[in-house]
Amino acid sequence: MPQRIVIVGAGQGGLQAAVSLRQEGHTGAITLIGSEPHLPYQRPPLSKAYLKTGDANSLRLRPRNFFEDQNIELLLSVTVTRIDPAAQTVEHSVGSVPYDHLILATGTSNLRPDIPGLDRALDLRTLDDAEALREAVSKAQSVAVIGGGFIGLEFAAVARAFGLEVTVAEAASRLMARVVSPEMSDRFLKLHRGMGTTVLLGAPVSCVTETGIVAGDVPVTADLVVLAAGVRPNSEVAERAGLATENGVLTDARLLTSDPAISALGDCAAFPDPTTGRLVRLESVQAATDHARLIARRLVKGDEASYAAVPWFWSDQADSKLQIAGFATPEDEAIVHPDGAVFRFDGDNLSAVETVNAPRIHMQARKLFAKHQRPTRDFLAAHEYEIASMLR
Amino acid sequence: MINVTYIQPDGSETTVTAQPGDSVMQTALNNNIDGIIAECGGSMACATCHVYVEGEWADQTGARMDGEEDMLDCAMSEMKDTSRLSCQIKLTEALDGLRVHIPEEQA
């Protein structure tokens, strides 16, 4: 069992790795390195509740004394500059630390497409970003949001509720195109337009100016511009260390990288999907924390099990709670059940179930995937798409 | 001062002091109580902070929130009349002495 474990990245996944290592019984050293000045905190509320309340304390995942009590060395405002896999050392902005095992939980950064004037746009990624954005929103009358994905739309809903004039510019032909069915995209398009938000589709932003943005050919006037055009994995340090990368730090089914002394988890890890074997990189709290638990069990208990957790996602936009169980690609077919749930199919197999304000169906779908992995169309039809009956 | 006692499935108890306004879930996390996973951080999106409120305390902790019952109904351990998502119980002085039981399984 490795004695000295270093975790790079103090987001929710990195923190969970430290917590789970202690819970599994690791008694050796744990060093958790974060580049931000804050104690580890939850990111999902930054585009939701936090924008409304400004309450940063409720985001904190553990109090400061937790780290002392658990003997976890927490380095904040520290940036990792280099990994030396031969010497098994992590070099960072204030020194270096040796490891027997290294866990990369470096997360993602905002994509900053090459758009003139983009430095005028605010990000929504970190607590500091959200704090600055909250302040800016309080002074603005109008806002343009670049990107119609989860974060852009969650922000748009909050800004609209504050009474701002809101425009969302999405380059693709539909909202949240990467993660939901066209039917669900339409449903949320109606929701946002119904709130009075202007939504421009097929409208890539060509420049950000002092007066707003140009989306497609349409000039949009806005006091404030927010960038929410997706993210890219933070894998540069891993790449420079010679680790295999491919849209993230490449891992095997156990979340071990090409170096057997280094694991990777969460948003920065590209790992084989347990049901299809295809490489995936998931941006979710669920994946980050389930990855962390699996890695901790392997390191402490020697459990070499493959990662097999059912993916799930959520997004709160105005009064609509979107929940997704499973993981579909944009091409997957969609069948809309009369009760509103959308069943996605990859060929003959169910890949995801999308619901709005239907937590029961969502939870049942997660159980279904846990039990049957990839149920077939025939199986679903035989049960008339009633998930409860499939679980009996 | 608000004390909360968490009772594990094996009967072992841990009593901790909570900050007013914190939830029963947050208090468990702050004190490294086993068995409260709290994956979604209190957004009522996951049902991994399920607890059974002990005896008469169930009257004090109030009614379930909208949607809470649907989540509980699908939690890993059986839903009982006393089941709550601990993220939805906010602690006040009136709850000093609260006792909650942690179910066998959360996820």
Side-chain angles (χ1 to χ4, degrees):
Chain A
M1 190 176 121
Q3 276 310 298
R4 294 166 302 181
I5 300 178
V6 174
I7 305 163
V8 180
Q12 200 157 353
L15 171 79
Q16 187 62 51
V19 168
S20 293
L21 283 165
R22 284 288 180 246
Q23 281 178 343
E24 295 291 345
H26 177 64
T27 52
I30 299 176
T31 304
L32 179 59
I33 306 175
S35 58
E36 293 181 54
H38 310 286
L39 289 169
Y41 61 88
Q42 302 175 57
R43 263 182 232 288
L46 293 180
S47 49
K48 311 179 184 92
Y50 172 80
L51 284 178
K52 295 179 203 157
T53 64
D55 178 8
N57 280 336
S58 69
L59 304 179
R60 199 187 56 199
L61 288 160
R62 295 292 187 284
R64 188 173 292 277
N65 65 4
F66 174 86
F67 298 91
E68 290 150 24
D69 295 349
Q70 294 291 312
N71 194 19
I72 294 165
E73 185 186 19
L74 179 63
L75 304 180
L76 296 177
S77 302
V78 170
T79 312
V80 167
T81 48
R82 183 168 169 259
I83 298 162
D84 183 340
Q88 298 203 333
T89 323
V90 170
E91 293 168 16
H92 54 70
S93 44
V94 291
S96 71
V97 53
Y99 64 82
D100 297 315
H101 197 90
L102 176 65
I103 300 174
L104 298 176
T106 51
T108 56
S109 301
N110 260 8
L111 267 178
R112 293 200 75 93
D114 192 14
I115 299 173
L118 195 69
D119 53 340
R120 289 192 181 91
L122 296 186
D123 284 313
L124 179 43
R125 176 90 208 132
T126 65
L127 179 53
D128 290 347
D129 290 343
E131 221 174 277
L133 187 54
R134 222 177 102 73
E135 171 77 15
V137 163
S138 72
K139 294 175 186 154
Q141 311 284 309
S142 55
V143 59
V145 183
I146 305 176
F150 278 7
I151 291 174
L153 293 173
E154 288 169 359
F155 170 77
V158 175
R160 189 66 199 126
F162 280 154
L164 274 69
E165 238 178 84
V166 181
T167 303
V168 175
E170 168 57 47
S173 59
R174 60 185 180 92
L175 296 174
M176 304 179 282
R178 209 163 49 87
V179 283
V180 301
S181 60
E183 288 73 8
M184 199 54 83
S185 296
D186 279 349
R187 192 164 163 173
F188 277 84
L189 179 62
K190 290 194 182 88
L191 169 81
H192 286 278
R193 285 186 172 159
M195 292 173 71
T197 296
T198 304
V199 181
L200 305 172
L201 296 173
V205 172
S206 54
C207 67
V208 180
T209 66
E210 273 171 30
T211 57
I213 59 171
V214 178
D217 298 325
V218 186
V220 175
T221 307
D223 307 334
L224 174 64
V225 180
V226 175
L227 176 67
V231 295
R232 54 172 187 77
N234 293 328
S235 50
E236 296 86 349
V237 170
E239 210 167 317
R240 285 204 304 274
L243 296 184
T245 58
E246 191 177 330
N247 178 32
V249 183
L250 196 62
T251 77
D252 66 10
R254 299 166 299 167
L255 302 167
L256 205 53
T257 70
S258 54
D259 180 327
I262 307 179
S263 299
L265 65 78
D267 292 21
C268 75
F271 65 100
D273 180 300
T275 54
T276 64
R278 288 193 289 250
L279 271 187
V280 289
R281 192 177 61 72
L282 301 180
E283 293 157 12
S284 76
V285 165
Q286 172 273 322
T289 53
D290 280 338
H291 284 172
R293 293 186 191 98
L294 185 94
I295 291 170
R297 280 196 299 274
R298 169 159 51 76
L299 295 179
V300 182
K301 298 278 170 66
D303 180 350
E304 298 283 325
S306 294
Y307 180 75
V310 176
W312 56 269
F313 309 84
W314 85 96
S315 175
D316 294 333
Q317 299 174 31
D319 292 332
S320 293
K321 184 190 270 297
L322 167 66
Q323 291 179 295
I324 304 166
F327 179 66
T329 61
E331 299 75 37
D332 286 7
E333 193 191 332
I335 293 177
V336 185
H337 191 264
D339 67 13
V342 181
F343 291 77
R344 308 289 305 275
F345 287 94
D346 171 14
D348 193 38
N349 297 99
L350 185 70
S351 54
V353 177
E354 304 163 357
T355 52
V356 179
N357 295 338
R360 182 183 302 263
I361 299 175
H362 169 73
M363 292 298 285
Q364 288 171 342
R366 280 165 55 182
K367 284 190 171 176
L368 176 66
F369 282 116
K371 193 174 171 191
H372 293 286
Q373 286 219 337
R374 307 259 294 170
T376 62
R377 284 172 200 265
D378 286 351
F379 179 79
L380 270 87
H383 289 272
E384 295 174 332
Y385 285 76
E386 292 297 335
I387 302 179
S389 90
M390 301 175 212
L391 294 171
R392 276 179 211 127
Chain B
M1 199 159 89
I2 307 167
N3 283 326
V4 182
T5 300
Y6 297 86
I7 302 131
Q8 295 293 336
D10 68 2
S12 63
E13 298 188 3
T14 311
T15 300
V16 301
T17 303
Q19 298 298 314
D22 274 2
S23 66
V24 172
M25 174 205 85
Q26 191 63 47
T27 303
L29 295 182
N30 289 350
N31 292 281
N32 210 26
I33 302 289
D34 271 351
I36 300 287
I37 295 180
E39 199 149 56
C40 76
S43 313
M44 231 163 54
C46 75
T48 61
C49 67
H50 181 192
V51 294
Y52 303 117
V53 177
E54 185 171 291
E56 287 162 12
W57 285 108
D59 299 334
Q60 304 287 320
T61 50
R64 291 174 189 149
M65 302 292 162
D66 270 355
E68 187 179 338
E69 189 159 320
D70 284 346
M71 300 299 292
L72 282 166
D73 198 21
C74 295
M76 284 301 287
S77 291
E78 179 202 3
M79 177 169 77
K80 300 177 185 169
D81 290 346
T82 56
S83 286
R84 291 295 309 272
L85 293 179
S86 59
C87 64
Q88 300 301 314
I89 307 174
K90 296 279 181 274
L91 289 163
T92 60
E93 294 290 343
L95 291 174
D96 178 32
L98 177 68
R99 294 171 60 83
V100 297
H101 291 255
I102 292 169
E104 287 283 346
E105 275 187 290
Q106 293 279 20

